Amino acid sequence: MALLPILRFPDPRLKKIAAPVAKVDDSIRKLVSDMAETMYEAPGIGLAATQVNVHKQVVVIDTSEDKNDLRVFINPRLENCTGSQTGEEGCLSVPGIYDKVERAEQVTVHYLDLEGKPRSLTTDGLLAVCIQHELDHLNGTVFVDHLSQLKQTRIKAKLAKQARVTA
Ligand code: NI
């Protein structure tokens, strides 16, 4: 396993569109294991391959208290998004920034598991938010893209300042 560097907003590579995984093989399983280690280490509750500069449709999520419920979504597709909920979101690519985003309350996601088998999951609450947030990454969207231009400008300025301080 290996820790992977996480791209930081507004890195243009976060805007790349991830390609579907053609075959779930050992290289994908290695990527998943590295992504999981990177997510737990950060620590975060979700990570999309886009964030580690791998432009394939792979997402890892663990919203459990005890960090013992790793979920892996390969080639995920959302269906039946219903209702709405608004919660505060953060992102490992946008460190220290949290803001409210409106999401569907309940979603169904179709995906492949680590053996390449088709699966589906219907869920709501935090896990549903996290799935929508991570799938956004695969489409080149970061949660701050859902905020107003004014907020985005402020966030970019704040992150640039942080980068100077830590550089
Ligand atoms: Ni994120």
Side-chain angles (χ1 to χ4, degrees):
M1 297 217 289
L3 290 177
L4 306 168
I6 298 175
L7 299 179
R8 294 212 172 176
F9 178 81
D11 191 309
R13 292 171 290 181
L14 287 169
K15 289 196 178 295
K16 286 195 180 183
I17 308 291
V21 171
K23 187 172 189 292
V24 182
D25 57 14
D26 284 346
S27 74
I28 294 298
R29 286 185 279 270
K30 164 85 163 70
L31 171 67
V32 164
S33 128
D34 289 346
M35 283 174 60
E37 190 186 5
T38 303
M39 173 184 75
Y40 287 124
E41 220 280 326
I45 60 172
L47 189 69
T50 308
Q51 293 177 272
V52 293
N53 200 27
V54 176
H55 302 282
K56 292 178 184 167
Q57 293 176 6
V58 177
V59 160
V60 295
I61 291 177
D62 188 344
T63 53
S64 70
E65 275 293 275
D66 299 330
K67 301 291 162 214
N68 58 3
D69 187 22
L70 180 67
R71 294 172 184 271
V72 178
F73 301 93
I74 298 167
N75 297 351
R77 290 279 173 275
L78 281 177
E79 202 176 274
N80 299 329
C81 299
T82 57
S84 83
Q85 58 178 324
T86 302
E88 192 125 286
E89 294 187 23
C91 179
L92 294 176
S93 293
V94 198
I97 306 288
Y98 301 88
D99 215 321
K100 285 183 180 145
V101 180
E102 187 180 350
R103 302 285 189 183
E105 167 58 25
Q106 189 182 72
V107 300
T108 297
V109 58
H110 298 273
Y111 60 98
L112 301 179
D113 68 13
L114 279 173
E115 307 305 321
K117 292 202 182 91
R119 304 264 179 196
S120 72
L121 170 74
T122 298
T123 189
D124 56 13
L126 178 61
L127 181 55
V129 168
C130 201
I131 288 169
Q132 292 170 83
H133 176 120
E134 301 311 332
L135 267 64
D136 262 3
H137 277 300
L138 300 181
N139 289 313
T141 299
V142 179
F143 84 96
V144 298
D145 293 326
H146 293 290
L147 306 176
S148 69
Q149 278 303 325
L150 178 64
K151 280 187 175 176
Q152 291 189 38
T153 304
R154 284 184 183 154
I155 289 167
K156 282 176 191 164
K158 193 171 169 184
L159 291 173
K161 199 172 167 187
Q162 275 178 19
R164 281 199 299 276
V165 170
T166 55

